[in-house]
PDB file of all heavy atoms in Angstrom:
ATOM      1  N   LEU A   4     140.033  83.493  85.490  1.00 43.00           N
ATOM      2  CA  LEU A   4     139.881  84.785  86.147  1.00 43.00           C
ATOM      3  C   LEU A   4     139.362  85.836  85.174  1.00 43.00           C
ATOM      4  O   LEU A   4     138.478  86.640  85.515  1.00 43.00           O
ATOM      5  CB  LEU A   4     141.229  85.222  86.741  1.00 43.00           C
ATOM      6  CG  LEU A   4     141.228  86.537  87.544  1.00 43.00           C
ATOM      7  CD1 LEU A   4     140.309  86.401  88.738  1.00 43.00           C
ATOM      8  CD2 LEU A   4     142.639  86.882  87.991  1.00 43.00           C
ATOM      9  N   GLU A   5     139.896  85.811  83.950  1.00 45.00           N
ATOM     10  CA  GLU A   5     139.443  86.797  82.956  1.00 45.00           C
ATOM     11  C   GLU A   5     137.977  86.589  82.603  1.00 45.00           C
ATOM     12  O   GLU A   5     137.216  87.550  82.424  1.00 45.00           O
ATOM     13  CB  GLU A   5     140.302  86.692  81.690  1.00 45.00           C
ATOM     14  CG  GLU A   5     141.746  87.144  81.861  1.00 45.00           C
ATOM     15  CD  GLU A   5     142.617  86.110  82.566  1.00 45.00           C
ATOM     16  OE1 GLU A   5     142.110  84.977  82.782  1.00 45.00           O
ATOM     17  OE2 GLU A   5     143.765  86.426  82.911  1.00 45.00           O
ATOM     18  N   VAL A   6     137.569  85.315  82.516  1.00 46.00           N
ATOM     19  CA  VAL A   6     136.169  85.008  82.196  1.00 46.00           C
ATOM     20  C   VAL A   6     135.250  85.531  83.287  1.00 46.00           C
ATOM     21  O   VAL A   6     134.184  86.118  83.021  1.00 46.00           O
ATOM     22  CB  VAL A   6     135.986  83.483  82.020  1.00 46.00           C
ATOM     23  CG1 VAL A   6     134.510  83.147  81.850  1.00 46.00           C
ATOM     24  CG2 VAL A   6     136.779  83.000  80.829  1.00 46.00           C
ATOM     25  N   ILE A   7     135.647  85.352  84.543  1.00 46.00           N
ATOM     26  CA  ILE A   7     134.828  85.815  85.665  1.00 46.00           C
ATOM     27  C   ILE A   7     134.744  87.337  85.666  1.00 46.00           C
ATOM     28  O   ILE A   7     133.680  87.924  85.886  1.00 46.00           O
ATOM     29  CB  ILE A   7     135.400  85.289  86.999  1.00 46.00           C
ATOM     30  CG1 ILE A   7     135.251  83.760  87.062  1.00 46.00           C
ATOM     31  CG2 ILE A   7     134.695  85.915  88.180  1.00 46.00           C
ATOM     32  CD1 ILE A   7     135.859  83.125  88.291  1.00 46.00           C
ATOM     33  N   PHE A   8     135.886  87.993  85.389  1.00 46.00           N
ATOM     34  CA  PHE A   8     135.864  89.451  85.311  1.00 46.00           C
ATOM     35  C   PHE A   8     134.893  89.926  84.240  1.00 46.00           C
ATOM     36  O   PHE A   8     134.090  90.843  84.460  1.00 46.00           O
ATOM     37  CB  PHE A   8     137.280  89.973  85.012  1.00 46.00           C
ATOM     38  CG  PHE A   8     138.021  90.425  86.216  1.00 46.00           C
ATOM     39  CD1 PHE A   8     139.037  89.651  86.737  1.00 46.00           C
ATOM     40  CD2 PHE A   8     137.717  91.627  86.836  1.00 46.00           C
ATOM     41  CE1 PHE A   8     139.737  90.065  87.859  1.00 46.00           C
ATOM     42  CE2 PHE A   8     138.413  92.046  87.945  1.00 46.00           C
ATOM     43  CZ  PHE A   8     139.424  91.266  88.469  1.00 46.00           C
ATOM     44  N   GLU A   9     134.962  89.328  83.055  1.00 47.00           N
ATOM     45  CA  GLU A   9     134.079  89.722  81.962  1.00 47.00           C
ATOM     46  C   GLU A   9     132.625  89.452  82.312  1.00 47.00           C
ATOM     47  O   GLU A   9     131.734  90.239  81.986  1.00 47.00           O
ATOM     48  CB  GLU A   9     134.461  88.961  80.695  1.00 47.00           C
ATOM     49  CG  GLU A   9     135.801  89.402  80.106  1.00 47.00           C
ATOM     50  CD  GLU A   9     136.193  88.548  78.916  1.00 47.00           C
ATOM     51  OE1 GLU A   9     135.388  87.664  78.529  1.00 47.00           O
ATOM     52  OE2 GLU A   9     137.291  88.752  78.373  1.00 47.00           O
ATOM     53  N   SER A  10     132.354  88.353  83.001  1.00 49.00           N
ATOM     54  CA  SER A  10     130.969  87.982  83.318  1.00 49.00           C
ATOM     55  C   SER A  10     130.315  88.977  84.249  1.00 49.00           C
ATOM     56  O   SER A  10     129.114  89.195  84.188  1.00 49.00           O
ATOM     57  CB  SER A  10     130.928  86.583  83.951  1.00 49.00           C
ATOM     58  OG  SER A  10     131.516  86.608  85.234  1.00 49.00           O
ATOM     59  N   VAL A  11     131.089  89.584  85.148  1.00 49.00           N
ATOM     60  CA  VAL A  11     130.503  90.554  86.062  1.00 49.00           C
ATOM     61  C   VAL A  11     130.519  91.967  85.489  1.00 49.00           C
ATOM     62  O   VAL A  11     129.624  92.759  85.723  1.00 49.00           O
ATOM     63  CB  VAL A  11     131.225  90.526  87.429  1.00 49.00           C
ATOM     64  CG1 VAL A  11     132.657  91.004  87.317  1.00 49.00           C
ATOM     65  CG2 VAL A  11     130.474  91.376  88.446  1.00 49.00           C
ATOM     66  N   LEU A  12     131.544  92.308  84.668  1.00 49.00           N
ATOM     67  CA  LEU A  12     131.641  93.666  84.155  1.00 49.00           C
ATOM     68  C   LEU A  12     130.675  93.910  83.007  1.00 49.00           C
ATOM     69  O   LEU A  12     130.137  95.004  82.867  1.00 49.00           O
ATOM     70  CB  LEU A  12     133.075  93.946  83.692  1.00 49.00           C
ATOM     71  CG  LEU A  12     134.133  94.044  84.797  1.00 49.00           C
ATOM     72  CD1 LEU A  12     135.512  94.267  84.189  1.00 49.00           C
ATOM     73  CD2 LEU A  12     133.789  95.175  85.761  1.00 49.00           C
ATOM     74  N   GLU A  13     130.415  92.900  82.167  1.00 48.00           N
ATOM     75  CA  GLU A  13     129.549  93.094  81.014  1.00 48.00           C
ATOM     76  C   GLU A  13     128.134  93.511  81.400  1.00 48.00           C
ATOM     77  O   GLU A  13     127.628  94.506  80.873  1.00 48.00           O
ATOM     78  CB  GLU A  13     129.518  91.834  80.153  1.00 48.00           C
ATOM     79  CG  GLU A  13     128.717  92.036  78.863  1.00 48.00           C
ATOM     80  CD  GLU A  13     128.819  90.822  77.962  1.00 48.00           C
ATOM     81  OE1 GLU A  13     129.580  89.888  78.292  1.00 48.00           O
ATOM     82  OE2 GLU A  13     128.127  90.813  76.932  1.00 48.00           O
ATOM     83  N   PRO A  14     127.447  92.787  82.326  1.00 50.00           N
ATOM     84  CA  PRO A  14     126.108  93.240  82.684  1.00 50.00           C
ATOM     85  C   PRO A  14     126.102  94.596  83.366  1.00 50.00           C
ATOM     86  O   PRO A  14     125.156  95.372  83.234  1.00 50.00           O
ATOM     87  CB  PRO A  14     125.608  92.137  83.634  1.00 50.00           C
ATOM     88  CG  PRO A  14     126.826  91.434  84.098  1.00 50.00           C
ATOM     89  CD  PRO A  14     127.797  91.530  82.988  1.00 50.00           C
TER      90      PRO A  14
END
Side-chain angles (χ1 to χ4, degrees):
L4 183 62
E5 291 78 8
V6 173
I7 293 176
F8 262 105
E9 290 175 3
S10 69
V11 66
L12 291 178
E13 185 174 355

